[in-house]
Amino acid sequence: MSNRGNFSSRLGFILAAAGSAVGLGNIWRFPYLAGQNGGAAFLLIYLICVFMLCFPVMIGEIAIGRKVQSDAYGSYQKLGGGKWGYLGLFGILAGIFILSFYNVVAGWAFGYFLEISFGNLLDEKDFGAFFGSYINNVWTILSFSLGFMVITAVIVSQGIQKGIEAANKIMMPALYLILIGLIIYSLTLPNAMEGVKFYLVPNLSNITLQTLFDGLRQAFFSLSLGMGCLITYGSYVGKNQNIVSSAAIITMADTSVAFLAGLMVFPMVAAINAYDVQGPSLVFVVLAQVFHNMGPMAGRIVGGSFFLLLCFAALTSTISLLEVPAAYLVDQKKLPRKPVVWGLALLIFVLGLPCLVSQGKVEFLSHLFFYKDRDFLTFVSDMCDISLTVGGCLMCIFIRYRWKINNMNEELAIGNPTYLGSMLQKYINITILWVCPILLGILSIGVIIDKFFGLEWIFG
Ligand code: PFF
């Protein structure tokens, strides 16, 4: 293999890709989207999106990356020629913007981890008000976000094996352990079963078009699809590895963490009857309150563990987000890794500043007139979501019309000799050729209309 680096083993790749997938999306965003969309009804739609649309796209991305062994731009460019490289660039840009806002939220989590662990929240009474003012503490959040970006850059600058793989090998098992511990605790809380019921018994009347749109964009975001992240990670995978089974494990690892995060959060919501707390503040408000109610010592330990979990999850994702543009500059412009990583980290940190002050500090960024009065962080996050489903749709079109499905199948058969002719191969072919491009195309247009005009615009 060339000297661009590679994962040392199959486990190394799976942990790194699962680490990219498991992130704030699973632990911070999935529970609040499930809460807003009627709990189990959302879970159901989410699972359908994951297995019907996301799993095939993931396989396609890894196959493209491993075939060419290049960054997202280089992969599309070499396989497709012409202007196809732009599709890779589009993904790289999306990754840069995702990281810019993601790092701000990671800064909130990092801040909460330190505050709770040091017992600084012991006297708080109203956690809703506290959260609102905390994230507007610009200098505090600025330093935590900067700290987070520095840790990300330190890891990515060490390269694939010594940086990304090594970090994931420590953080991913730790993350699972903390999560399981917290679920066990959560299920012992008063009213826990009521929370579990809210989460797990589907009320089909809650399924609307909104549920479908939210489920789809969440699934793409959660699995890190549509922006070349798995093309980049796939480019470091050895030719002897079985892509399809690795993708299945990554998908299941990510989905199980999202599912388990809900199982941890909803009993806590039920314990303090906080079903009315909705949206991005859910874990910062409800969970902080629950930890506070536990008393000083236990609250610090359990609360600290939870926010550490959130930080680990975020970090395994931020390193993958930074690796995507870094790989592009290293592979295409032949620049040295270390300065590239630090330069990008600084640039992306600065790019995130408008998001950082959009939570009330700067008026016009907090209420965008062209975006239904919503804030700039939400705007960037929504635009990125749209670019992921569009990116996934275009990837399928690329495979269908340019690379050709037979070439993809040949790549998938390397390391997986029984793949050709199997039922799974037929399923993946049909989804990549027909189901994904059509549904992703329609749904992406639906999400755009929903975001800018509202669904009333279509249905009156
Ligand atoms: N999958 C991550 C999460 O769920 O938090 C976010 C993410 C990481 C999206 C990497 C896209 C990406 F390329």
Side-chain angles (χ1 to χ4, degrees), residues 335-382:
L335 296 170
R337 173 172 276 271
K338 280 204 164 88
V340 157
V341 166
W342 286 102
L344 278 170
L346 179 67
L347 172 85
I348 298 173
F349 173 73
V350 172
L351 214 57
L353 295 179
C355 291
L356 198 149
V357 295
S358 72
Q359 302 302 300
K361 199 78 195 164
V362 172
E363 180 54 29
F364 83 96
L365 288 173
S366 308
H367 301 279
L368 296 178
F369 69 91
F370 60 88
Y371 202 55
K372 294 200 194 156
D373 224 26
R374 286 176 287 213
D375 63 271
F376 189 70
L377 190 152
T378 307
F379 172 70
V380 179
S381 148
D382 287 349

Side-chain angles (χ1 to χ4, degrees), residues 92-174:
I92 294 167
L93 274 180
I96 288 177
F97 280 102
I98 293 179
L99 184 53
S100 76
F101 82 82
Y102 200 91
N103 188 57
V104 172
V105 181
W108 303 347
F110 194 27
Y112 260 58
F113 165 61
L114 295 177
E115 306 289 356
I116 290 196
S117 303
F118 285 112
N120 294 347
L121 303 189
L122 292 179
D123 301 328
E124 274 322 310
K125 302 247 158 6
D126 180 347
F127 280 89
F130 175 78
F131 178 66
S133 67
Y134 190 73
I135 59 175
N136 276 306
N137 244 322
V138 170
W139 291 110
T140 311
I141 300 299
L142 194 83
S143 43
F144 288 137
S145 296
L146 184 63
F148 211 87
M149 189 61 99
V150 168
I151 300 173
T152 306
V154 168
I155 296 172
V156 178
S157 67
Q158 299 301 311
I160 307 306
Q161 273 185 30
K162 280 207 265 148
I164 297 179
E165 186 175 330
N168 277 294
K169 276 186 170 158
I170 300 170
M171 281 189 285
M172 287 304 285

Side-chain angles (χ1 to χ4, degrees), residues 18-28 95 98 102 218 220-230 254 313-314 316-318 320-321 324 388:
S20 167
V22 172
L24 294 171
N26 304 59
I27 297 166
W28 163 67
I98 293 179
Y102 200 91
Q218 171 63 12
F220 257 74
F221 182 80
S222 187
L223 286 162
S224 307
L225 296 176
M227 49 146 283
C229 180
L230 285 161
D254 182 64
T316 54
S317 298
T318 52
S320 72
L321 285 162
V324 174
L388 298 186

Side-chain angles (χ1 to χ4, degrees), residues 30-49:
F30 179 83
Y32 84 70
L33 282 177
Q36 279 171 347
N37 285 289
F42 181 75
L43 186 60
L44 202 69
I45 292 284
Y46 180 79
L47 289 176
I48 295 173
C49 290

Side-chain angles (χ1 to χ4, degrees), residues 162-209:
K162 280 207 265 148
I164 297 179
E165 186 175 330
N168 277 294
K169 276 186 170 158
I170 300 170
M171 281 189 285
M172 287 304 285
L175 184 147
Y176 266 97
L177 280 181
I178 300 175
L179 183 59
I180 304 282
L182 285 169
I183 292 172
I184 294 173
Y185 167 75
S186 185
L187 289 174
T188 61
L189 290 169
N191 277 340
M193 281 309 133
E194 205 185 283
V196 174
K197 237 169 114 197
F198 170 79
Y199 180 47
L200 292 185
V201 180
N203 175 357
L204 295 187
S205 65
N206 277 335
I207 297 185
T208 60
L209 209 50

